[in-house]
Amino acid sequence: MAAAVLTTPKMSSRRGESAKSTTSAAGILALLEEPQDVLKVHGLRMLNDYAMRTSWHEVASAIEIIEGMHEDEFFSHRDLAALVASKVFYHLGDLEDALSYALAAGKLFDVAEKNSDFVDTVLAKAIDTYVEKRQRGGTVVSEAAAEAMEEGEEERGEAFDVSIDPRLESIVDRMFEKCHEEKQWTHAVGVALESKRLDALEKAISRAEQPEVVLSYATKVSQTLVMQKSFRAEALALLVKLYETLDFDEPNYNGVCQCLAILEDDKRCADVLLSLVKSSDGRDNLQAYQIGFNLFEMDLRNFLSGVANLVVSASLASKQTPIKDGQEQKEADKQARTNSLVSILRGETPAKLYLEFLKTKSHGDPALVEKLKKAVEGRNSVMHGSVVFANAMSNCGTTSDAFLRQNLDWLSRATNWARFSATAGVGVIHRGRAEDSKQLLSQLLPAPSPYTLGGALYAMGLMHCGRPHCGEASTFIIERLRAANNETVQHGACLGIGLSSYGKSELDAECMMELFRVLRSDSAVAGEAAGIGLGFVLAGLRKNPSENSGNKSLHDNWTRDMLAYARKTSHEKIIRGLGLGLACAFATCEEDADAIIEDALGDGDALIRYGGCQIIGSAYVGTGNNDAIRKLLHVAVSDVSDDVRRCAVMSIGFVLTNNPEQCVRVVQLLSESYNPHARYGAAMAVGIACAGTGNVNAAKLLEPMRRDKVDFVQQGAAIASALVLVQQPEDRLSKFRDEMQKMSADSSETTMSKMGAIMASGILDCGGRNCTISLKSRAGRPRMTSTLGVLVFTQYWYWFPFGHFLSIATIPTAFIGVDKTLQMPHYECVSNAKPSLFKYADYLSDEKDKKTTEVKKAVLSTTKKAQKLLNEKNVKKMNKDAESMDADDNVPSRPQSRAAKDDNEMDATATTTTTTAEGEKEGEEKEGEEEKKED
């Protein structure tokens, strides 16, 4: 009792506080063993208020007593005992038990307490536990049921793991109230989305002081950070409802349309755009155009086609109604605005603006491609194809085909598939000119060579990719396919059909039937392209809304048929093409692709498992899904096939495009693997995830890999470095440019290494040095077109012509402004950045090339010794001749040097200088002697 009196909290002096902090807690602990509840309660309060701060280690020895007091049903302050026990376990580092007793403490556990590490830590643990159980589908059970589950430890199972204690939810609810009181609205939104609490999300947005700001933040977070697709749809539907019901000073139509785009609700989005474009307010009309450009930037081509079709249908329906007198001009203006909006949604206006920019602002260096051409061997088809690729990429979309016209003889050396690839490069250079594609390719389409004709059909598909409504290219190519019996022409036609049909709002049954007809012919070359074409036609057509359930069921039926045929055929190229096609078909589908992923990964055929890894990468692109990464890492270290392991590592880059830094950390160890295929996959994964970012850590990781002892690893590292560094400031690129040019011209390098260097040079200058490559939009959402392009591009490993697919992943880096007529006015903008940040690279000059190619002659040591002895001999001979000359008595003699002439032709200049200097010295000595005589 005496010790207890010494530690009473009534002491208020500094000396008393010091005494309390240094006094042992043994006396207080003795109170816990007293028979009277009053003394026990007093002891618990003193432990909770003071002793726990400095003497928790002593209190820990009495934890059994404290736990017994909490479990005693007749003890009046069980909640206080639970709070003290929670603090003890917190200090011991056992957060599970600390949380359990904090829940039992009820309201005594104050989540609003400030500057308390105990409260902050236990609250964080409570939120993490709550979020984990909510994400696993947990539901709240009654308090009695929760206590019964805790008591029956041996009966704990899955039901206990996902069951949520109501007391835990009560703590989370109090945390929400704390956020509201402290006006931390974004914190409340974040926890609500993580824990799947739509009621808390709605309350946080509705009670915010600036609901439009919080709603905009919630929209961004829901689009980029919510992992589960089904809950993301529920959250976005709620946000659309709040956009429509909350009273804002100015409605945020852009936010509404972005949410509807991700929900793929094209009908409601079309209604919003129609209401804006038909408004008499000019600002509403401009806002409709801006929303159209923003939706085009999100790269949801199938959705935009559906919206454009609905807008056109509504416009045609309005024409059927009679027009009142005097309203003709007003209706004509509405129709013109509607047509402008449709041209934006279908990509016609953006393509026209980008084409004008790339054509007029191109800074491609013709001397660079010419230098690459001279550096390669004349008859090497691999090097020839690499230079063709570099030229096509460096002039992508610029319409500059001067190199091709000036080197017709060199191009004519290409045979077979090299000619096919060179012809397809024309489509890359003229990408965006879908309106006059037939005219541009008119000289190639009737070509007698099947390789030229197949390449021309492939080129047409590249020019029309993402714009299926322009020119009816798919119908034209189908007619050519039906008339062709050559597998080379069928190969190019199938690729062209897939590219030109991509982006349609409805499934094109005619294209599917023709592609499957070619597939069932069991031709290896044509069947591979048919599988990829099927994937492009199906891409983006698996929609969620009920009115589009027909597309979803057809999508499932076709993909099942593709997988079944892959297991039936014996051609590896067809299996590989179908696996790639399935990856394209399930792009951005996320958990909807889980069934086919499990089916493919469990197959005994390595090629089908290869396709399964590709499906994971495309389905979960830009999500950072932990389960997807876990599956890929497991395959990367356990599969018996090097090809499958390489693909698994490479697919990690697709999943982590939303977090490039994490991708670098994940594959860092794999980049040092003993297996060169794993190292190649790691390099490409970093290039894909960090494309266009200029990530410093990614560049550091790839730099030593460019000097790997295996040539194809060097190739992958060079291409990945170009993907990372494209459109970066020239002070970062100059060293890498020189390295690639040196590697491509070095005769000691292998063909694979030189191929990678040449392709990297073309990627660096893509689009006339005005384009970048990125798999995500400015809003943070994955770009489907870029994903498909990079996905097929990575298969150049097996088939070089697939490299041209990278062109559809390019994005012009331009700041373009238009007026209400969608024309570019003359305007100026101020940039405070350094000019060097946007400076183009210098062109290669003939003088620079000459300097870099000059070679110093080697001089042997024996030659140097012989020359030295000869010089010494000549000097001695001239000195002897100089001494025998007569000197004038009055004028000081200045003997002139006489260059000795012998068979070795000694340098006259050096000899004259030496002899003259000695003669001057001798003359000065004679002058001094004469002066002495006169004196």
Side-chain angles (χ1 to χ4, degrees):
M1 293 292 293
V5 173
L6 288 175
T7 58
T8 177
K10 292 182 180 180
M11 300 173 63
S12 58
S13 65
R14 291 175 178 260
R15 184 175 180 182
E17 293 177 0
S18 177
K20 287 187 295 183
S21 63
T22 58
T23 303
S24 172
I28 302 177
L29 295 176
L31 291 175
L32 303 182
E33 299 180 3
E34 293 292 334
Q36 299 179 13
D37 287 354
V38 177
L39 297 177
K40 291 180 181 180
V41 172
H42 181 64
L44 288 173
R45 286 174 177 170
M46 296 183 70
L47 289 175
N48 183 53
D49 294 338
Y50 299 105
M52 195 60 67
R53 301 176 184 175
T54 57
S55 303
W56 63 267
H57 53 285
E58 295 184 61
V59 182
S61 62
I63 186 61
E64 294 181 358
I65 299 175
I66 299 173
E67 287 181 310
M69 297 171 65
H70 165 64
E71 295 172 359
D72 187 359
E73 297 180 358
F74 300 100
F75 186 60
S76 58
H77 288 69
R78 296 175 61 190
D79 51 353
L80 180 59
L83 181 61
V84 174
S86 177
K87 291 186 177 182
V88 172
F89 283 113
Y90 158 74
H91 285 289
L92 291 173
D94 189 350
L95 297 183
E96 290 286 348
D97 287 337
L99 175 59
S100 177
Y101 281 104
L103 296 178
K107 294 184 178 180
L108 289 182
F109 179 70
D110 186 8
V111 297
E113 183 178 350
K114 297 182 179 180
N115 301 325
S116 174
D117 292 338
F118 163 71
V119 173
D120 294 342
T121 304
V122 175
L123 184 58
K125 177 64 177 178
I127 295 174
D128 290 342
T129 304
Y130 183 74
V131 168
E132 179 185 0
K133 292 190 174 185
R134 288 284 299 178
Q135 289 182 348
R136 293 170 58 188
T139 56
V140 179
V141 299
S142 63
E143 187 171 350
E147 293 178 354
M149 287 185 177
E150 289 183 357
E151 293 176 359
E153 296 184 0
E154 68 281 356
E155 299 178 358
R156 290 185 180 183
E158 186 176 356
F160 175 80
D161 292 337
V162 298
S163 62
I164 300 177
D165 193 322
R167 297 169 297 180
L168 178 61
E169 188 168 58
S170 175
I171 288 181
V172 175
D173 289 338
R174 280 185 280 159
M175 187 278 303
F176 281 126
E177 292 298 329
K178 176 186 175 183
C179 291
H180 296 167
E181 292 173 2
E182 297 178 357
K183 299 180 181 180
Q184 295 178 339
W185 312 111
T186 56
H187 293 180
V189 167
V191 176
L193 288 173
E194 280 192 314
S195 59
K196 298 184 179 180
R197 288 283 301 275
L198 295 180
D199 58 330
L201 175 64
E202 183 176 5
K203 186 181 295 184
I205 296 174
S206 302
R207 295 175 61 177
E209 294 180 344
Q210 294 180 321
E212 63 277 7
V213 176
V214 182
L215 188 55
S216 178
Y217 172 79
T219 302
K220 181 179 179 180
V221 173
S222 300
Q223 293 178 11
T224 57
L225 299 181
V226 177
M227 295 294 180
Q228 192 173 3
K229 187 177 182 180
S230 57
F231 176 71
R232 186 191 309 131
E234 296 177 7
L236 291 174
L238 173 63
L239 296 179
V240 172
K241 174 186 173 184
L242 294 176
Y243 272 120
E244 295 174 347
T245 56
L246 294 179
D247 186 16
F248 299 135
D249 295 336
E250 186 173 348
N252 188 349
Y253 295 111
N254 184 49
V256 173
C257 290
Q258 284 190 5
C259 293
L260 293 174
I262 299 175
L263 292 171
E264 297 182 345
D265 193 344
D266 46 10
K267 187 177 185 307
R268 294 175 65 186
C269 185
D271 292 339
V272 173
L273 292 176
L274 279 171
S275 65
L276 291 173
V277 80
K278 291 184 176 181
S279 173
S280 58
D281 189 352
R283 295 182 58 189
D284 289 343
N285 305 149
L286 295 178
Q287 190 172 8
Y289 295 159
Q290 185 60 55
I291 292 173
F293 283 115
N294 293 342
L295 292 177
F296 180 81
E297 169 69 19
M298 293 178 70
D299 196 34
L300 300 171
R301 299 301 174 88
N302 310 84
F303 170 78
L304 292 180
S305 296
V307 174
N309 292 340
L310 291 172
V311 171
V312 171
S313 300
S315 177
L316 293 176
S318 63
K319 289 183 178 180
Q320 304 300 325
T321 58
I323 302 175
K324 297 180 180 180
D325 295 339
Q327 299 294 321
E328 291 83 0
Q329 184 61 39
K330 185 180 293 185
E331 292 298 326
D333 293 341
K334 288 182 180 180
Q335 186 61 39
R337 293 195 297 268
T338 303
N339 294 337
S340 299
L341 176 63
V342 172
S343 69
I344 295 173
L345 296 174
R346 288 181 171 173
E348 297 170 3
T349 298
K352 180 181 177 181
L353 296 173
Y354 284 148
L355 184 64
E356 183 176 354
F357 163 71
L358 294 176
K359 184 177 179 180
T360 57
K361 303 297 181 182
S362 174
H363 282 72
D365 192 354
L368 175 61
V369 184
E370 188 68 27
K371 183 177 179 181
L372 294 175
K373 180 180 75 72
K374 293 179 180 179
V376 303
E377 301 175 12
R379 301 297 296 178
N380 191 324
S381 62
V382 175
M383 295 293 96
H384 188 283
S386 301
V387 175
V388 168
F389 170 84
N391 173 66
M393 283 300 299
S394 61
N395 294 291
C396 175
T398 64
T399 70
S400 175
D401 54 1
F403 175 82
L404 300 179
R405 298 181 183 278
Q406 295 170 4
N407 295 274
L408 293 176
D409 293 339
W410 179 77
L411 288 171
S412 64
R413 300 175 191 172
T415 58
N416 300 336
W417 290 107
R419 176 173 295 182
F420 176 92
S421 183
T423 307
V426 177
V428 177
I429 295 174
H430 293 280
R431 180 170 179 261
R433 296 183 63 178
E435 292 82 359
D436 54 352
S437 59
K438 293 181 183 179
Q439 180 181 354
L440 288 170
L441 300 173
S442 58
Q443 297 179 355
L444 301 175
L445 290 173
S449 171
Y451 295 97
T452 303
L453 178 56
L457 296 176
Y458 180 18
M460 181 175 287
L462 291 170
M463 296 168 69
H464 283 264
C465 183
R467 299 178 61 188
H469 300 282
C470 185
E472 297 295 332
S474 60
T475 304
F476 175 80
I477 301 176
I478 286 175
E479 294 176 356
R480 291 303 183 101
L481 177 61
R482 288 171 178 169
N485 294 322
N486 186 281
E487 63 178 4
T488 305
V489 178
Q490 291 176 342
H491 182 89
C494 289
L495 293 178
I497 290 173
L499 286 164
S500 60
S501 299
Y502 164 68
K504 292 185 177 181
S505 59
E506 297 293 336
L507 188 63
D508 193 328
E510 184 182 11
C511 291
M512 295 296 294
M513 295 300 296
E514 284 299 319
L515 291 173
F516 248 97
R517 181 184 64 82
V518 176
L519 182 66
R520 292 193 177 97
S521 67
D522 211 36
S523 169
V525 174
E528 180 183 29
I532 298 173
L534 288 168
F536 267 78
V537 176
L538 291 171
L541 291 178
R542 185 183 172 88
K543 298 185 178 181
N544 293 324
S546 57
E547 58 266 21
N548 294 315
S549 58
N551 272 352
K552 184 174 181 180
S553 60
L554 288 174
H555 185 283
D556 292 342
N557 293 336
W558 285 112
T559 52
R560 281 197 297 268
D561 292 343
M562 291 168 66
L563 183 58
Y565 193 83
R567 286 172 170 157
K568 177 183 177 182
T569 185
S570 59
H571 293 290
E572 292 186 0
K573 290 177 72 68
I574 295 179
I575 299 174
R576 193 179 298 116
L578 286 170
L580 186 57
L582 287 171
C584 296
F586 283 97
T588 69
C589 283
E590 300 181 37
E591 58 261 27
D592 292 341
D594 286 346
I596 197 168
I597 288 173
E598 295 298 330
D599 194 5
L601 291 180
D603 198 279
D605 191 341
L607 293 175
I608 295 181
R609 296 199 303 275
Y610 186 97
C613 294
Q614 290 178 316
I615 297 173
I616 295 177
S618 64
Y620 288 97
V621 59
T623 62
N625 188 279
N626 293 328
D627 292 335
I629 296 173
R630 192 179 300 112
K631 290 178 183 177
L632 291 172
L633 288 175
H634 175 71
V635 175
V637 299
S638 63
D639 201 279
V640 296
S641 172
D642 285 337
D643 290 341
V644 178
R645 297 176 67 178
R646 181 182 68 249
C647 183
V649 179
M650 196 158 45
S651 297
I652 294 175
F654 287 96
V655 179
L656 291 176
T657 52
N658 64 326
N659 195 346
E661 284 287 350
Q662 186 181 356
C663 180
V664 177
R665 293 192 297 268
V666 169
V667 303
Q668 186 168 12
L669 289 178
L670 292 169
S671 66
E672 302 171 1
S673 171
Y674 72 93
N675 189 327
H677 292 269
R679 298 200 299 272
Y680 174 90
M684 291 300 294
V686 171
I688 292 168
C690 305
T693 63
N695 189 283
V696 177
N697 293 328
K700 289 181 180 178
L701 179 69
L702 293 170
E703 184 176 0
M705 299 183 73
R706 297 198 295 270
R707 298 185 294 272
D708 196 277
K709 60 183 180 180
V710 181
D711 53 0
F712 65 77
V713 177
Q714 296 179 18
Q715 180 192 82
I719 294 174
S721 299
L723 290 174
V724 173
L725 296 175
V726 62
Q727 281 293 293
Q728 296 303 305
E730 193 58 30
D731 56 353
R732 290 190 60 189
L733 287 181
S734 57
K735 182 179 178 181
F736 179 68
R737 285 184 189 275
D738 296 340
E739 181 183 347
M740 292 298 99
Q741 293 176 19
K742 181 179 179 181
M743 183 182 294
S744 61
D746 191 350
S747 59
S748 63
E749 294 287 349
T750 64
T751 300
M752 298 287 280
S753 301
K754 295 175 69 174
M755 175 186 174
I758 294 172
M759 293 178 70
S761 299
I763 294 172
L764 278 182
D765 293 346
C766 68
R769 296 175 177 170
N770 284 315
C771 285
T772 187
I773 297 171
S774 178
L775 272 70
K776 61 180 181 180
S777 64
R778 288 183 296 173
R781 293 284 301 168
R783 292 176 53 90
M784 181 176 289
T785 307
S786 298
T787 300
L788 299 179
V790 175
L791 182 66
V792 182
F793 164 75
T794 58
Q795 302 310 300
Y796 79 90
W797 174 282
Y798 298 104
W799 199 238
F800 296 153
F802 287 160
H804 292 310
F805 272 85
L806 186 63
S807 62
I808 68 175
T810 57
I811 306 169
T813 53
F815 180 81
I816 300 177
V818 295
D819 55 16
K820 62 181 181 180
T821 63
L822 301 183
Q823 300 297 321
M824 287 190 292
H826 293 285
Y827 61 91
E828 295 180 354
C829 59
V830 179
S831 173
N832 295 323
K834 296 185 295 184
S836 60
L837 188 65
F838 303 101
K839 181 183 177 182
Y840 290 100
D842 296 330
Y843 291 106
L844 291 178
S845 60
D846 295 335
E847 292 78 12
K848 183 177 180 180
D849 292 341
K850 184 176 180 180
K851 290 180 181 178
T852 56
T853 55
E854 285 183 353
V855 180
K856 293 184 178 179
K857 294 182 179 180
V859 181
L860 299 178
S861 59
T862 55
T863 306
K864 290 183 178 179
K865 290 180 180 179
Q867 186 71 25
K868 184 178 180 181
L869 291 174
L870 184 62
N871 292 342
E872 291 177 355
K873 181 179 178 181
N874 291 333
V875 170
K876 289 180 180 180
K877 183 178 180 181
M878 283 184 284
N879 289 340
K880 185 176 180 180
D881 294 341
E883 291 176 358
S884 62
M885 292 176 63
D886 295 331
D888 192 344
D889 292 339
N890 298 323
V891 181
S893 63
R894 299 182 63 87
Q896 297 180 354
S897 62
R898 293 182 301 174
K901 296 183 180 180
D902 49 26
D903 296 337
N904 296 308
E905 294 182 359
M906 188 183 67
D907 189 351
T909 305
T911 305
T912 303
T913 304
T914 304
T915 308
T916 303
E918 292 179 355
E920 289 176 353
K921 183 178 180 181
E922 188 174 349
E924 291 174 357
E925 291 178 353
K926 289 184 178 181
E927 287 180 0
E929 291 177 358
E930 291 176 356
E931 289 177 358
K932 288 181 181 180
K933 290 181 181 180
E934 291 176 357
D935 293 336

